[in-house]
Amino acid sequence: MDLRQIRCFIAVAEELHFRRAAERVGLAQTALSAQVRRLEEEMGVALLFRTTRHVSLTQAGAVFLTEARNLLDRLDAAIAETRAVAERGLDRLRIGGIDAALAWFLPPVFEAFRSRHPGIRLTLTEVSASAQQVEALERHHIDLAFFRPPTATPGIAWETLFEEGVAIALPAGDDAADAHSLSAEALTGRSLIGYPRHARPYLADMVARCIEGLDAPPNVEMEVLDKSTLMRLVAQGTGVGLVPDWCARVGAEGVRFVPLENGPRLAFGVAWRERDAGRETLDDFLALSRSEAAHVAG
């Protein structure tokens, strides 16, 4: 059963004349008759009484006519609403983000967006790996993803919002905790808390770049998945850690963050499906994100 069969039946049921119904739907009369016959065969009931001079509805046909009209009305309403959403934007935005996005960058963007679009529902999901974020975009599980590069996936647009530096996380009572900045040499002889490469390749690479070239690199005696775990361990005096600058903005009890001199710059950005560009709500969220990024960078 398909929509053409249903539309053919409605035309015949309303015209009660096969020739006029065929002209109405733009089919040959034999083709129209075949469509209605196949519909009856699939349903297993007769919908029409046919004679050489007269066409009328059976009782089952009268019931089906009412339901078929309702079905097409609902379909037309669904199509109209879908087109309206496509024209004006999305009725909800599903955001994916790494911890930096959730804990620090996105909250003011959410607040500004909700004040402009109170009727748009926002959802936020933490996704740690860039590849998982891109996959979620491709599968339409999220509409925007905030993470760190690289990404080069066909159909996925990427924009760097800002770059940030690296800080050394030290226990609050450490002799170097009040320094204005520290070089990587300050890590010499210390126990360093790192990140497992298989699960946190970007952070593991960040640590490797920071300590590259040191004559006596620190010992990476422990690896953790989350920066929140790292900061708790630092506060307890277990070791020191290297973290993106945003962690210093959020802060952590018992931890001091000292900028690392000449450390690598860490890019942070946003990705979306290219074909979604131009939708009002998505574009407005991007505009607010760019504004917040300019504030952060300034």
Side-chain angles (χ1 to χ4, degrees):
M1 183 184 302
D2 58 38
L3 287 176
R4 170 167 287 196
Q5 293 171 343
I6 294 173
R7 293 186 189 280
C8 287
F9 164 73
I10 291 175
V12 174
E14 291 178 346
E15 298 290 343
L16 295 178
H17 194 284
F18 274 91
R19 179 179 59 78
R20 290 196 299 270
E23 292 173 352
R24 173 172 154 181
V25 299
L27 289 176
Q29 185 172 330
T30 53
L32 172 74
S33 180
Q35 291 282 354
V36 175
R37 181 66 67 186
R38 281 196 290 271
L39 177 63
E40 289 178 311
E41 290 173 354
E42 289 183 30
M43 295 183 66
V45 297
L47 301 174
L48 300 169
F49 290 119
R50 302 167 176 83
T51 68
T52 56
R53 291 177 171 270
H54 182 70
V55 178
S56 61
L57 289 168
T58 64
Q59 184 175 1
V63 171
F64 187 69
L65 175 60
T66 298
E67 296 302 325
R69 284 169 171 163
N70 291 338
L71 173 65
L72 291 187
D73 286 344
R74 290 194 295 272
L75 177 61
D76 289 342
I79 292 172
E81 177 61 21
T82 300
R83 287 173 175 166
V85 168
E87 290 174 0
R88 69 176 182 264
L90 302 169
D91 283 334
R92 65 169 177 166
L93 277 177
R94 299 161 299 173
I95 313 298
I98 60 174
D99 51 2
L102 275 66
W104 164 61
F105 180 76
L106 284 176
V109 179
F110 267 50
E111 183 178 357
F113 184 86
R114 286 190 174 113
S115 68
R116 291 192 186 188
H117 304 279
I120 305 298
R121 185 161 63 93
L122 291 172
T123 62
L124 182 57
T125 303
E126 182 176 9
V127 185
S128 59
S130 299
Q132 292 175 342
Q133 299 239 34
V134 172
E135 182 181 1
L137 282 171
E138 291 180 313
R139 294 187 176 185
H140 288 251
H141 293 165
I142 58 176
D143 303 305
L144 287 165
F146 291 82
F147 56 97
R148 301 189 188 276
T151 181
T153 304
I156 302 297
W158 164 265
E159 177 180 329
T160 298
L161 292 172
F162 61 86
E163 292 183 340
E164 61 181 323
V166 177
I168 303 176
L170 300 162
D174 191 281
D175 292 340
D178 294 325
H180 178 71
S181 64
L182 291 170
S183 67
E185 283 75 14
L187 299 173
T188 300
R190 291 180 177 267
S191 295
L192 184 65
I193 303 169
Y195 308 92
R197 180 164 293 279
H198 71 279
R200 294 290 186 267
Y202 190 92
L203 294 174
D205 180 64
M206 176 196 75
V207 171
R209 291 161 64 191
C210 289
I211 64 177
E212 183 180 17
L214 291 180
D215 293 334
N219 298 317
V220 180
E221 298 182 351
M222 183 179 300
E223 294 181 336
V224 297
L225 294 176
D226 299 319
K227 300 176 195 69
S228 58
T229 303
L230 181 148
M231 288 184 281
R232 284 196 297 270
L233 291 170
V234 169
Q236 295 167 8
T238 303
V240 300
L242 291 165
V243 296
D245 277 345
W246 72 265
C247 293
R249 295 174 183 263
V250 175
E253 185 176 358
V255 180
R256 296 291 183 270
F257 300 90
V258 180
L260 177 68
E261 297 172 2
N262 302 315
R265 303 295 293 174
L266 309 178
F268 177 88
V270 58
W272 64 93
R273 290 180 294 274
E274 290 179 346
R275 62 176 174 268
D276 287 345
R279 293 186 173 182
E280 179 185 351
T281 48
L282 184 141
D283 285 356
D284 199 30
F285 198 94
L286 284 172
L288 290 169
S289 299
R290 294 177 185 122
S291 177
E292 178 64 19
H295 174 71
V296 168

